[in-house]
């Protein structure tokens, strides 16, 4: 039983029953004994950015308390994506569910399979808006700003 860490995870879905997909993903996080879901943002309907030729997304951010390492938490997230049948057909294309680790304590990590803070989180309104809703005072350890002080 390691130290309890606070982490923020972005969720997104733009295929099937989007709300159901988000609910199921959050339920699966809750089912993990080493993860406690502490806060859940509103679900926001958002226009696709990047690859725009795809349906609107439903996005949310959750705050979790976990004893898992960043890499173990990543494994939990990818397992949930697999279980909810995320077909990675087009890399940037539509998906049943996407879970991205945004922040993990004040950790800065640059591994090939895991970059924390998420490198594009400060450029994405679909992440910043729900994150601001649940954790305006969370600190971005690279930008050295609180979330509420990051402007798009
Ligand atoms: N609005 C919106 N646009 C997106 N483009 C990509 S890729 N994604 C997947 C997240 O990386 C999204 C998303 O979740 N929401």
């Amino acid at each position: 039983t390691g130290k309890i860490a606070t982490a923020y995870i972005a969720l997104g879905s733009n295929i099937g029953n989007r709300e159901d997909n988000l609910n199921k993903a959050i339920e699966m996080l809750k089912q993990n004994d080493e993860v406690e879901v502490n806060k859940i943002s509103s679900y926001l309907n958002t226009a696709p950015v990047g690859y725009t030729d795809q349906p609107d997304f439903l996005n949310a951010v959750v705050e979790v308390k976990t004893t898992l390492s960043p890499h173990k938490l990543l494994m939990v997230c990818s397992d949930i994506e697999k279980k909810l049948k995320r077909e990675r057909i087009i890399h940037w294309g539509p998906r049943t569910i996407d879970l991205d680790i945004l922040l993990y304590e004040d950790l800065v990590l640059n591994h090939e399979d895991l970059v924390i803070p998420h490198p594009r989180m400060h450029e994405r309104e679909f992440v910043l808006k729900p994150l601001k809703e649940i954790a305006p005072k969370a600190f971005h350890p690279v930008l050295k700003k609180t979330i509420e002080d990051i402007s798009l």
Side-chain angles (χ1 to χ4, degrees), residues 67-85:
T67 52
L68 295 172
S69 70
H71 278 87
K72 289 237 173 53
L73 184 60
L74 176 68
M75 289 300 105
V76 166
C77 292
S78 12
D79 284 353
I80 291 170
E81 288 177 348
K82 283 186 205 97
K83 285 197 185 101
L84 293 177
K85 303 237 180 325

Side-chain angles (χ1 to χ4, degrees), residues 11-12 46-51 54 57 59 92 95 98 100 124 126:
L11 297 99
T46 64
V49 300
Y51 184 84
Q54 60 180 324
F57 281 80
N59 285 114
W92 295 100
R95 68 282 313 278
D98 201 53
D100 291 324
R124 293 172 154 183
F126 69 81

Side-chain angles (χ1 to χ4, degrees), residues 58-146:
L58 197 61
N59 285 114
V61 171
V62 297
E63 176 187 280
V64 299
K65 302 275 184 196
T66 184
T67 52
L68 295 172
S69 70
H71 278 87
K72 289 237 173 53
L73 184 60
L74 176 68
M75 289 300 105
V76 166
C77 292
S78 12
D79 284 353
I80 291 170
E81 288 177 348
K82 283 186 205 97
K83 285 197 185 101
L84 293 177
K85 303 237 180 325
R86 168 173 174 173
E87 308 298 330
R88 194 183 272 270
I89 305 151
I90 313 163
H91 180 62
W92 295 100
R95 68 282 313 278
T96 46
I97 195 71
D98 201 53
L99 287 90
D100 291 324
I101 300 173
L102 301 173
L103 299 167
Y104 183 105
E105 290 293 326
D106 56 2
L107 197 64
V108 179
L109 203 62
N110 286 287
H111 288 195
E112 52 290 337
D113 64 339
L114 184 55
V115 177
I116 296 179
H118 188 286
R120 291 177 294 285
M121 64 177 278
H122 61 287
E123 299 160 356
R124 293 172 154 183
E125 178 157 21
F126 69 81
V127 169
L128 287 178
K129 196 163 175 207
L131 181 56
K132 264 181 205 175
E133 179 193 338
I134 61 168
K137 305 286 184 205
F139 189 70
H140 191 296
V142 172
L143 300 179
K144 307 277 187 219
K145 287 182 176 178
T146 58

